[in-house]
Amino acid sequence: MSSKIPGFEIFFNSIKSNLSSQEDALVAAVHFVLIWDQYSCIGINEEGQEDEGSECLPDGWNQNQDVWTLRYRKNNASGQATSFLLKVIRAESSLLINFMRKDTEDVSFLAVETYHYTTDDLGNMKRTYKDLDQLVDLVKGELCRISAESQPKVNSGGQTSTAETLREKPRDPASFRGRADPYRPDLADPTHGGASGGWGGLYSVGRSDLDPLGTGGGMIFDPLRGGGIPRFDPSQGIPGHLPRGAVPPGARFDPPGPFRPGPGRGFGGVE
């Protein structure tokens, strides 16, 4: 007998003739912990007529041996009633227990191994349950943490917000570096080597080649761009190397070389 939920043995003796499985025994224990925590049972199934509220399990509570669905109500300190939904799903040798506060849709979740807490001897409480105190602690700590005392969050528009326990809000794309699309280069940003020019660093080399509307090429030493590299028009020819017109105007061009450095021309002067 569990010292943490006095009266459970009396409750168990009142329902043991209706138990069909170990899962029934485990669901009954969860139900009694909720009753002990001042919840009252108001019916089965997700929707339906609400009873006045009782400590007893309602008729038909275990007619489905794959899913157990029970509704509860709990009053807060001011006497306002809050509705809850308990849904237990069989998953092989485990039970997946979901407990939801319906007005906020806050959900608590617990997964337990059936054979860890119950046996197939359903005629005697002391032989039916194993580690009952641990089960009670799990239900109190995980399921009952959704309190009827907490109030639904209300946003600035006056609407009640839903739970964020099991859901994640989508991220605002504008939060990424202040741009509407974090995956598209900002062509107005010179640090990204876009159409507005600028060196942009090593990682910007070749970026403008991917922009069908951009200008310039992806060469590190692009003669048509600045950045300390000599600017000249290769279409005018290179004396001693290429005649005038050998390179079409605006074409990407890496001059053959090496050329001898010329005074005041910086890197690789061209005469």
Side-chain angles (χ1 to χ4, degrees):
M1 180 175 63
S2 174
S3 59
K4 297 185 177 182
I5 46 173
F8 180 65
E9 187 171 13
I10 297 174
F11 168 77
F12 177 84
N13 289 333
S14 70
I15 63 159
K16 63 181 181 181
S17 60
N18 295 325
L19 299 179
S20 301
S21 62
Q22 295 176 240
E23 289 77 13
D24 279 353
L26 204 154
V27 173
V30 172
H31 164 83
F32 189 81
V33 175
L34 294 176
I35 296 300
W36 186 88
D37 201 42
Q38 306 302 311
Y39 293 83
S40 59
C41 189
I42 57 176
I44 60 173
N45 302 323
E46 295 187 12
E47 302 293 340
Q49 181 178 357
E50 293 190 358
D51 299 333
E52 294 182 359
S54 172
E55 296 180 357
C56 300
L57 284 164
D59 294 338
W61 68 274
N62 61 344
Q63 61 186 359
N64 188 336
Q65 287 292 300
D66 292 315
V67 180
W68 295 255
T69 307
L70 295 163
R71 286 177 285 121
Y72 294 85
R73 182 172 55 220
K74 185 176 183 179
N75 295 333
N76 59 20
S78 62
Q80 182 178 3
T82 304
S83 296
F84 297 82
L85 178 67
L86 175 70
K87 194 162 191 176
V88 184
I89 302 171
R90 183 204 294 265
E92 296 183 351
S93 62
S94 300
L95 287 183
L96 309 180
I97 307 172
N98 297 274
F99 193 52
M100 181 180 75
R101 175 172 168 165
K102 298 184 74 172
D103 60 347
T104 62
E105 296 185 357
D106 285 331
V107 178
S108 57
F109 172 79
L110 183 62
V112 296
E113 286 288 337
T114 305
Y115 290 91
H116 184 77
Y117 295 103
T118 60
T119 70
D120 56 5
D121 186 347
L122 305 177
N124 183 287
M125 191 206 77
K126 294 181 180 179
R127 294 194 297 267
T128 299
Y129 293 96
K130 304 181 292 184
D131 295 325
L132 184 57
D133 283 346
Q134 183 183 32
L135 176 62
V136 172
D137 288 339
L138 283 174
V139 175
K140 287 182 178 180
E142 297 298 327
L143 298 188
C144 296
R145 64 182 177 80
I146 300 180
S147 172
E149 299 299 326
S150 59
Q151 297 299 319
K153 297 179 181 179
V154 179
N155 58 28
S156 59
Q159 297 179 340
T160 301
S161 64
T162 56
E164 300 179 2
T165 306
L166 299 179
R167 287 174 288 180
E168 181 180 356
K169 289 184 177 180
R171 294 184 179 181
D172 182 3
S175 65
F176 292 90
R177 298 183 181 179
R179 299 204 305 270
D181 188 346
Y183 303 107
R184 181 177 182 180
D186 188 350
L187 300 181
D189 185 353
T191 64
H192 288 82
S196 59
W199 182 245
L202 177 62
Y203 295 105
S204 293
V205 174
R207 183 182 298 276
S208 56
D209 291 341
L210 304 177
D211 178 18
L213 302 180
T215 59
M219 296 185 296
I220 296 178
F221 301 109
D222 189 342
L224 301 181
R225 294 198 300 179
I229 307 302
R231 300 188 62 173
F232 65 96
D233 185 358
S235 67
Q236 300 302 312
I238 302 176
H241 295 277
L242 290 175
R244 180 186 297 271
V247 179
R252 291 179 52 173
F253 175 71
D254 282 322
F259 301 109
R260 66 176 182 83
R265 297 186 182 273
F267 184 88
V270 177
E271 294 181 350

